[in-house]
């Protein structure tokens, strides 16, 4: 099975991995965990969970668009939040709502929410990974 690795325009190029992999045949798309980076790799929304969630979802959309997909093609999201407590849910939902409004969609694929101790750098509060299937 052939695999194409892609770093779509609009996302930072990371030396140790690519942002998206596409497997031919079933056309499964696996999006690397997206954090609150802009296209240059600068953190967006330091200390602001809603802003970081919004940026993560926008980055997932950018990654999917880079391979011809969209949120309509998602089959699974995994959301990792540093020091998760249920009182953070309104901020998480606010960030998702803001991203959905910008994208003109309602992201409702199956999702897993996980509390984690830390992410790649201290200023990142959330990371979102995605799996999609394209026709």
């Amino acid at each position: 099975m052939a695999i194409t690795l892609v770093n779509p325009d609009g996302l930072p190029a990371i030396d140790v991995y690519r942002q998206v992999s596409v497997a031919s045949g079933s056309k499964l798309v696996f999006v690397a965990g997206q954090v609150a980076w802009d296209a240059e790799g600068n953190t967006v929304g330091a200390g602001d969970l809603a802003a970081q969630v919004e940026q993560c979802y926008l980055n997932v959309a950018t990654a999917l668009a880079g391979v011809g997909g969209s949120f309509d093609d998602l089959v699974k999201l995994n959301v990792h939040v540093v020091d998760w407590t249920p009182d953070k849910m309104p901020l998480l939902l606010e960030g998702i709502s803001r991203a959905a409004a910008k994208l003109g969609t309602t992201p409702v694929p199956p999702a897993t929410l996980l509390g984690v101790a830390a992410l790649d750098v201290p200023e990142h509060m959330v990371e979102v990974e995605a799996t999609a299937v394209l026709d």
Side-chain angles (χ1 to χ4, degrees):
M1 181 185 315
I3 297 174
T4 303
L5 300 176
V6 181
N7 267 329
D9 291 341
L11 295 176
I14 307 299
D15 291 336
V16 297
Y17 65 89
R18 299 298 176 262
Q19 299 286 4
V20 180
S21 66
V22 180
S24 62
S26 299
K27 198 92 171 203
L28 296 173
V29 179
F30 302 93
V31 180
Q34 296 299 304
V35 293
W37 276 330
D38 64 14
E40 289 76 43
N42 300 307
T43 298
V44 173
D48 182 342
L49 181 59
Q52 289 202 12
V53 169
E54 177 183 5
Q55 186 64 43
C56 291
Y57 272 67
L58 294 176
N59 287 349
V60 168
T62 299
L64 291 170
V67 295
S70 72
F71 264 78
D72 292 337
D73 301 306
L74 285 176
V75 295
K76 181 74 167 80
L77 287 174
N78 291 320
V79 180
H80 304 83
V81 181
V82 174
D83 297 327
W84 175 258
T85 55
D87 63 311
K88 294 181 181 178
M89 185 62 81
L91 293 172
L92 179 77
L93 296 176
E94 178 185 338
I96 293 169
S97 293
R98 291 185 344 206
K102 286 183 178 177
L103 297 169
T105 189
T106 303
V108 291
T112 299
L113 174 61
L114 299 166
V116 296
L119 293 171
D120 59 333
V121 295
E123 60 267 20
H124 289 158
M125 304 169 74
V126 63
E127 183 169 333
V128 178
E129 61 181 316
T131 303
V133 177
L134 303 180
D135 291 331

